[in-house]
């Protein structure tokens, strides 16, 4: 009986949301199978195992893995409110709660996760390991690495260039007071 109810619910969802390129609800079952067809989701998206779509504005609540090109809103999941793996390919604006948050392109907002891996990030990252390929504003973690950063707080902070302050047990920055400093490092040109 439960399987029948689930099947009917899924079929109704498909018929309600599959007309056009935009949908209010999408259930992603595999990378190529989404119930609630459309390249753009304005509302709720639930990728079960590994769901992919073009653009989401709203809430992305994943069971395992979410893969989105552009995202605006709240990304979370079933693991204590966090998604296991949140991936945004080109543009992110909002709050990302995940065990791993992987963002290419530009990202703005708050990332809370064990691992936050970004390209160009504006906002606050809280995690065990924070990595930024290009630049980042604020990083709080055990290990923080960024090519260019304004503020880092952690046990180990590594930056190619700091435009502000590093506070931690060991701080590495090419343009700091010294390239390696315990406890505090900063750029004199503040």
């Amino acid at each position: 009986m439960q399987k029948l109810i689930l099947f009917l619910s899924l079929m109704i969802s498909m018929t309600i949301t599959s007309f056009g390129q935009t949908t209010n609800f999408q259930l992603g079952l595999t990378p190529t199978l989404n119930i609630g067809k459309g390249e753009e989701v304005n509302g709720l998206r639930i990728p079960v195992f590994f769901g992919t779509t073009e653009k989401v504005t709203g809430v992305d609540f994943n069971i395992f893995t979410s893969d989105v090109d552009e995202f605006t809103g709240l990304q979370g999941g079933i693991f204590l409110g966090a998604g296991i793996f949140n991936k945004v390919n080109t543009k992110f604006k909002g709050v990302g709660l995940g065990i791993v948050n992987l963002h290419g392109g530009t990202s703005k907002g708050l990332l809370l996760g064990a691992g936050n891996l970004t390209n160009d990030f504006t906002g606050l990252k809280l995690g065990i390991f924070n990595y930024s390929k290009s630049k980042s504003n604020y990083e709080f973690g055990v290990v923080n690495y960024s090519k260019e950063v304004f503020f880092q707080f952690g046990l180990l902070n590594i930056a190619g260039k700091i435009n502000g302050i590093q506070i931690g047990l060991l701080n590495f920055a090419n343009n700091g007071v010294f390239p390696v400093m315990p406890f505090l490092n900063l750029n004199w040109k503040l």
Side-chain angles (χ1 to χ4, degrees):
M1 183 67 175
Q2 289 177 336
K3 289 181 182 179
L4 177 62
I5 292 171
L6 178 62
F7 176 75
L8 291 174
S9 298
L10 294 176
M11 294 309 294
I12 289 169
S13 295
M14 279 178 36
T15 58
I16 291 173
T17 60
S18 63
F19 302 109
Q21 294 295 329
T22 302
T23 184
N24 295 324
F25 173 79
Q26 187 178 76
L27 181 67
L29 299 175
T30 70
T32 57
L33 177 61
N34 289 321
I35 296 174
K37 290 288 184 187
E39 298 299 320
E40 185 174 335
V41 179
N42 290 321
L44 175 63
R45 179 171 177 263
I46 303 174
V48 178
F49 299 110
F50 185 92
T52 62
T53 199
E54 295 288 322
K55 186 175 181 181
V56 175
T57 302
V59 177
D60 192 18
F61 186 84
N62 75 61
I63 308 298
F64 185 68
T65 299
S66 174
D67 187 347
V68 179
D69 284 338
E70 290 184 33
F71 183 83
T72 303
L74 172 66
Q75 248 186 343
I78 198 164
F79 187 76
L80 302 173
I84 293 176
F85 187 78
N86 298 326
K87 183 179 180 213
V88 179
N89 298 315
T90 58
K91 189 176 178 184
F92 173 88
K93 187 175 183 181
V95 176
L97 308 172
I99 294 174
V100 175
N101 295 302
L102 176 62
H103 293 194
T106 59
S107 299
K108 294 180 182 179
L110 168 68
L111 292 181
L112 176 62
N116 298 308
L117 306 128
T118 61
N119 182 38
D120 185 352
F121 185 80
T122 303
L124 173 63
K125 289 193 277 190
L126 300 169
I128 295 170
F129 177 69
N130 295 309
Y131 172 86
S132 186
K133 187 177 181 180
S134 178
K135 59 185 173 180
S136 187
N137 284 114
Y138 301 93
E139 296 180 334
F140 290 81
V142 176
V143 176
N144 300 304
Y145 172 87
S146 186
K147 193 169 187 178
E148 183 178 344
V149 70
F150 177 72
F151 181 82
Q152 290 179 323
F153 182 88
L155 290 178
L156 179 62
N157 299 309
I158 303 165
K161 178 181 177 184
I162 56 171
N163 298 318
I165 300 172
Q166 293 175 311
I167 300 172
L169 187 60
L170 274 177
N171 303 291
F172 297 85
N174 293 336
N175 70 330
V177 174
F178 292 104
V180 180
M181 285 285 293
F183 310 118
L184 178 72
N185 203 358
L186 57 102
N187 182 339
W188 284 110
K189 298 175 186 177
L190 291 173

